[in-house]
Amino acid sequence: MALAEEPSSDPTASTRWSYRDPSDPPLADDPSRPFCASHAATIARLTRRTFGPHPIGYPTDLPLSLRDWHFGKLDDVLARRTWCRACALVSNAVDTVAYSAEAEVIACWVWDGVLTSEHGIPKDNAGDTATLRLRIAPEMVGWESSFEPIDLVPLDISMSATEKSIFAGRPVIADHFDIELVESWIKNCTKWHGSECVGVTKWQTSEWGVPFIRLISLAENKLIESASPPPYAALSYVWGSAPVFQILQDNIDSLLKPGGLLSQSFPKSIRDAISLARALHFNYLWIDSICIIQDSSSDKYQQISIMDGIYSRASLSIVAAAGADANTGIPGLESGSRSLLQHTVQISDDLTLVALHPDSHRSVAETSWNTRGWTYQERLLSRRCLFSFPDGTVGFQCTKAVWGEDYRAETPYLVRCAPMMDVSLNRSWMNPGGIRERGSSNVRTRRTPYLQEYSRLVEEYTGRKMTFVGDRLLGINGVLDVLRKEFNLRFIQGLPLAIIHMALLWQPRNRLKRVPKNEKTGLPRFPSWSWGGWIGSVGYENWNEYNGLPELEERARRVIPFSKLGIMGSTHLESVLTSLAEGELSAGWSKVSTASDGICYVFSNRVETYHSIPFISTIIPGPSEVVPISQSTGLRLRTRVARFRLTNSIRGIDMNRESAAIERRGRFGLAAPSPATSDEPWLGTILLPIPAQYHSRLAQDYEFIILSESYGFSRQELGLSFASKLQPYDVFDVMMIRRVTGDELENYRAYFLHETASSTTDINPNSWHMENTVVERVGVGRMLKSAWEGSDAWDDFVLV
């Protein structure tokens, strides 16, 4: 059998290797010994030196002498825990024993801490070094339902970090976290990372067109209003169902006086945040419920418009993610407020292994805080965060590092460590695993085209919960403002105008419902063509997938405008994609080729800002236009319209657990209209966000309009064998529409009359919206162009 320290004879040099050959006879266990036979041949033979650091050629495979091991079913491990030290460690550390009879316990070696060469000056790649950690994980189909992976590293009990202790485990205090350790994280980040993680110059709120922000003065127990904010911490937390103190128009004056906050009753999360900020020597703290006048629409609108400044300029964001409401507090802040265990196993005098608690990325994914809409942008906008988790642990994350209580990774020479990486383990039914950088937790504006980044942000954000649906667009306002400033983009109802034809093609990821109506207007709060007008998760297709067609270098060419499109109250917009026509680029633009996203465009000397198309809005918002969400409700379209039937004929790939839940019930085929009754020929497909009402009405005809020309069908829409036989641009992007009639139509016309009458354009407010058909989006799909042959009806629509 291949032992831990023996070079393997594995001819494939793969990253997976069992500690014994399956043909070997079963190993005999001896309960009188400290380790079972499986662990005696593997873990018990490890030394401190096994974990490194090792010189590496970056990137590279693991040392060939270290292979993955199998330890039997979880049931077997649990049965041996009373006498085998290693089995006891695994048994105590697993978070669930579900599927213990099915889940096999495997151990995989994972690259961990990577340091630059001496003095932080990188030499050749071979000069870098790295440590290893041993990841214990379940192996079974559907392994996600079993226990969370457990990482083992050597435990170092020294009181201070040394070269030997870096990337080793660290003892923790059982009943509270070490405030001095937390303070050292902040100081070290400031010292080692500087302006990459914290602002080094004072900032002015006037940059956002806002006169001031409010801060809590911790010394005077009052609110201050500052146009040039001093260093401060910001709180991110979950309100939940707990009553939360709020500043209102009738109490704001008293709170601006010294001691004004002393008599107020705050929920525990806010009280603990104030105590923690003081312990970390902050003089000022920002908290939304106390720093924004909650019953003033104008103050709320103004302060929300500077949200990206508030969190990005904060010296620290305190993330109270321990519970589901504001009364949870920050466990571990006070002595006796947590009970934290560290699970260890002594291998030898030289080596004790410790099971690490989940890192910040894994821990935050399981919190209620991570499901809320407002906290999404708070996380993305913050440059460094201190997380408080349900188990009482804390973790620190900035743009350059991830640090935790039980793991030593504080060094100015850090390149990466496992908590900063996505690690895919080797699975017997999958390709060998690998490691890749997670990337920044912030909005990615460097070397990432905004088409891909916007698509990612929308899908991640819309899957979160929002208590007040009226905040649907405001909750991502700060994030969109980052894109607006970096790329000179304009937004309308959350969609970027530069790529509006692509942005209109969002699809549901589960069942959606329309946002409630505004009581004043009697109309939905947001239009149907924007994802903001629906409640539920939406997303965009993978712009880098071609389903059998040749790869398209310029991703934005996947969608070519067809309909004439304009904003309500304005003249028609000419297609911004005309700038993609072959020929000379406009002055200042140049192309850059990327490995993952094809050809992008850069303007002037901003060589790391990748535009999806060579277009910048000719109307650059000034300081007063800080909210990138136009209130315009209507889009004007002139396009072709025809009728088709829904069918149950689906030609896409088989549904699997990776498919969006809506795919199983919401996808329909499209066929010729009445009097045709057959599902053939198949003309296309559509994904509807509210499918139940249509399954019983397949015989009816429905209206569709053409939005754009499409490069081809996705694999969810049409299988590879059929899709690859089509020619590029044989397809239309289409929208199924519903005509607005009756009282609803009159409400819209009254609203349009009011909106256009107050606009500054020269459009006659009594003409176009009274004459054109008002329609809502039902769903978006794709159809063969040939389906529209013989149907050449054009019409003017107002899409609401």
Side-chain angles (χ1 to χ4, degrees):
M1 67 181 66
L3 301 181
E5 69 271 38
E6 293 180 344
S8 170
S9 60
D10 176 21
T12 66
S14 68
T15 57
R16 177 181 190 79
W17 189 249
S18 175
Y19 76 95
R20 64 184 177 89
D21 188 278
S23 62
D24 285 348
L27 299 175
D29 283 328
D30 183 356
S32 66
R33 302 183 66 82
F35 294 98
C36 66
S38 297
H39 291 133
T42 53
I43 286 181
R45 300 195 178 195
L46 297 176
T47 66
R48 178 63 181 83
R49 187 177 179 181
T50 309
F51 291 84
H54 302 286
I56 61 170
Y58 181 70
T60 185
D61 288 334
L62 296 177
L64 295 182
S65 60
L66 298 175
R67 298 300 178 191
D68 299 351
W69 303 321
H70 287 224
F71 296 144
K73 303 294 186 185
L74 179 56
D75 264 351
D76 301 326
V77 173
L78 295 172
R80 299 190 295 257
R81 62 183 169 182
T82 58
W83 59 274
C84 173
R85 295 179 188 175
C87 288
L89 172 66
V90 174
S91 299
N92 291 331
V94 295
D95 60 342
T96 178
V97 294
Y99 300 96
S100 59
E102 295 84 8
E104 185 171 359
V105 179
I106 62 172
C108 303
W109 288 100
V110 174
W111 279 122
D112 190 4
V114 178
L115 297 175
T116 59
S117 302
E118 188 178 3
H119 306 305
I121 303 174
K123 299 178 182 177
D124 294 336
N125 286 337
D128 292 340
T129 61
T131 60
L132 297 170
R133 61 172 58 187
L134 189 60
R135 179 159 294 183
I136 309 297
E139 184 179 64
M140 56 179 262
V141 177
W143 63 269
E144 299 90 343
S145 300
S146 188
F147 65 89
E148 279 289 309
I150 305 157
D151 287 353
L152 305 182
V153 297
L155 177 66
D156 184 272
I157 62 173
S158 59
M159 297 303 295
S160 59
T162 64
E163 184 177 345
K164 179 181 178 181
S165 67
I166 196 68
F167 305 124
R170 172 167 44 207
V172 299
I173 305 170
D175 69 339
H176 67 279
F177 57 79
D178 184 351
I179 197 70
E180 292 184 0
L181 174 64
V182 174
E183 191 172 5
S184 74
W185 290 338
I186 299 171
K187 290 180 178 178
N188 287 336
C189 173
T190 301
K191 178 180 178 181
W192 297 336
H193 307 151
S195 61
E196 293 186 81
C197 293
V198 64
V200 295
T201 59
K202 299 199 74 171
W203 62 289
Q204 305 293 325
T205 62
S206 58
E207 298 173 24
W208 280 261
V210 175
F212 58 79
I213 65 169
R214 299 182 187 89
L215 296 170
I216 300 170
S217 170
L218 300 177
E220 298 183 86
N221 293 295
K222 70 169 190 174
L223 287 177
I224 67 165
E225 296 176 342
S226 176
S228 182
Y232 63 93
L235 176 64
S236 177
Y237 65 115
V238 178
W239 283 32
S241 58
V244 175
F245 173 80
Q246 304 174 29
I247 65 165
L248 305 171
Q249 295 179 72
D250 63 2
N251 67 10
I252 176 64
D253 289 339
S254 64
L255 299 177
L256 288 167
K257 298 177 181 178
L261 292 172
L262 286 175
S263 60
Q264 310 305 326
S265 177
F266 300 127
K268 185 166 176 54
S269 292
I270 290 180
R271 296 198 308 271
D272 283 357
I274 291 174
S275 297
L276 178 57
R278 284 194 173 112
L280 295 174
H281 307 294
F282 283 101
N283 294 321
Y284 299 94
L285 178 63
W286 186 91
I287 301 175
D288 57 358
S289 63
I290 304 177
C291 296
I292 300 175
I293 302 176
Q294 298 297 313
D295 63 348
S296 169
S297 298
S298 59
D299 190 75
K300 184 180 291 187
Y301 183 85
Q302 185 182 74
Q303 294 297 311
I304 286 176
S305 72
I306 198 174
M307 200 65 68
D308 65 316
I310 289 173
Y311 278 97
S312 65
R313 298 304 182 101
S315 298
L316 178 71
S317 291
I318 299 171
V319 178
D325 62 44
N327 271 329
T328 302
I330 299 177
L333 176 62
E334 301 172 351
S335 295
S337 60
R338 76 176 185 186
S339 180
L340 193 64
L341 297 176
Q342 276 188 300
H343 303 293
T344 63
V345 57
Q346 184 174 358
I347 304 301
S348 64
D349 293 339
D350 172 64
L351 178 65
T352 295
L353 295 180
V354 60
L356 298 177
H357 291 90
D359 61 51
S360 295
H361 180 83
R362 291 162 61 191
S363 294
V364 79
E366 303 300 320
T367 63
S368 295
W369 177 88
N370 200 50
T371 68
R372 306 306 302 176
W374 279 105
T375 61
Y376 179 69
Q377 72 169 4
E378 292 166 7
R379 175 65 193 97
L380 264 65
L381 297 174
S382 300
R383 289 202 274 182
R384 57 185 188 184
C385 293
L386 177 67
F387 291 97
S388 165
F389 297 117
D391 62 358
T393 59
V394 292
F396 180 88
Q397 186 171 351
C398 63
T399 62
K400 304 290 288 183
V402 178
W403 295 328
E405 286 185 80
D406 62 351
Y407 173 67
R408 299 184 189 273
E410 300 89 356
T411 169
Y413 308 132
L414 177 68
V415 175
R416 67 173 196 185
C417 57
M420 301 166 65
M421 312 301 292
D422 276 326
V423 180
S424 57
L425 300 182
N426 306 321
R427 304 287 179 186
S428 59
W429 65 95
M430 299 167 62
N431 291 330
I435 297 178
R436 65 179 179 86
E437 293 189 43
R438 284 200 177 111
S440 171
S441 298
N442 307 108
V443 183
R444 301 166 190 166
T445 59
R446 292 292 176 266
R447 298 183 180 274
T448 299
Y450 57 73
L451 169 63
Q452 278 76 7
E453 182 64 357
Y454 173 80
S455 300
R456 178 186 75 90
L457 295 171
V458 168
E459 182 151 6
E460 291 180 356
Y461 170 71
T462 57
R464 291 174 170 239
K465 301 173 184 176
M466 187 69 76
T467 302
F468 303 105
V469 294
D471 294 341
R472 177 81 161 163
L473 291 178
L474 287 175
I476 197 173
N477 178 72
V479 168
L480 297 185
D481 205 31
V482 174
L483 296 182
R484 179 186 71 83
K485 292 174 181 177
E486 287 294 322
F487 298 100
N488 287 75
L489 295 175
R490 296 182 65 209
F491 287 84
I492 176 171
Q493 296 290 352
L495 275 59
L497 280 175
I499 50 171
I500 185 72
H501 287 83
M502 304 183 86
L504 285 169
L505 304 181
W506 57 266
Q507 292 281 16
R509 291 293 183 255
N510 53 35
R511 292 186 60 175
L512 307 180
K513 61 180 180 180
R514 285 286 272 129
V515 294
K517 294 181 178 179
N518 185 310
E519 295 179 358
K520 293 182 180 179
T521 64
L523 301 174
R525 291 177 179 271
F526 306 112
S528 65
W529 48 265
S530 167
W531 48 261
W534 301 78
I535 300 173
S537 177
V538 308
Y540 290 92
E541 68 178 301
N542 182 351
W543 303 112
N544 294 326
E545 179 187 282
Y546 294 93
N547 200 23
L549 292 177
E551 180 176 341
L552 196 61
E553 285 189 321
E554 293 171 277
R555 305 304 196 251
R557 286 185 180 273
R558 293 186 60 137
V559 179
I560 304 299
F562 178 89
S563 60
K564 294 293 183 180
L565 175 66
I567 304 173
M568 191 197 75
S570 70
T571 56
H572 283 303
L573 294 178
E574 291 300 323
S575 167
V576 296
L577 294 186
T578 55
S579 56
L580 282 179
E582 296 296 334
E584 295 293 327
L585 290 172
S586 301
W589 288 101
S590 58
K591 289 184 179 182
V592 58
S593 182
T594 71
S596 58
D597 300 310
I599 288 178
C600 300
Y601 296 87
V602 296
F603 186 72
S604 187
N605 61 349
R606 302 189 65 188
V607 296
E608 290 190 334
T609 303
Y610 290 177
H611 292 254
S612 299
I613 61 173
F615 172 85
I616 287 181
S617 172
T618 56
I619 305 175
I620 305 301
S624 60
E625 190 183 344
V626 293
V627 180
I629 301 167
S630 168
Q631 298 306 306
S632 297
T633 297
L635 289 182
R636 306 168 59 190
L637 292 96
R638 176 165 180 76
T639 187
R640 291 169 63 183
V641 58
R643 290 181 173 272
F644 298 95
R645 284 182 303 112
L646 302 179
T647 76
N648 286 322
S649 178
I650 307 301
R651 300 289 179 86
I653 62 172
D654 293 337
M655 296 301 106
N656 55 51
R657 65 183 180 184
E658 294 181 357
S659 302
I662 191 67
E663 288 281 351
R664 299 178 182 86
R665 287 286 292 168
R667 185 161 295 285
F668 294 84
L670 298 175
S674 305
T677 58
S678 171
D679 289 355
E680 301 297 334
W682 182 90
L683 302 179
T685 181
I686 191 168
L687 189 62
L688 298 181
I690 311 176
Q693 60 185 289
Y694 295 101
H695 281 285
S696 60
R697 304 177 190 173
L698 297 181
Q700 296 184 17
D701 294 343
Y702 297 94
E703 280 191 295
F704 290 78
I705 59 174
I706 299 175
L707 294 177
S708 46
E709 295 181 76
S710 178
Y711 192 62
F713 290 100
S714 71
R715 63 192 185 98
Q716 285 80 17
E717 296 167 332
L718 188 62
L720 177 64
S721 60
F722 294 100
S724 58
K725 296 177 182 178
L726 297 174
Q727 294 298 312
Y729 303 109
D730 273 354
V731 180
F732 281 136
D733 294 307
V734 298
M735 179 182 289
M736 181 173 161
I737 59 174
R738 177 187 72 85
R739 292 183 181 243
V740 176
T741 59
D743 291 343
E744 185 182 14
L745 178 59
E746 293 306 312
N747 287 340
Y748 270 114
R749 285 179 170 168
Y751 177 79
F752 293 155
L753 185 63
H754 175 269
E755 187 166 298
T756 53
S758 61
S759 76
T760 57
T761 65
D762 57 0
I763 301 298
N764 183 350
N766 298 310
S767 59
W768 64 269
H769 60 79
M770 300 295 290
E771 301 169 358
N772 299 339
T773 304
V774 178
V775 298
E776 276 194 339
R777 164 184 165 143
V778 177
V780 165
R782 287 198 173 102
M783 298 183 67
L784 296 168
K785 283 185 176 179
S786 58
W788 289 77
E789 294 176 358
S791 175
D792 197 30
W794 287 73
D795 202 349
D796 293 297
F797 297 95
V798 179
L799 183 60
V800 296

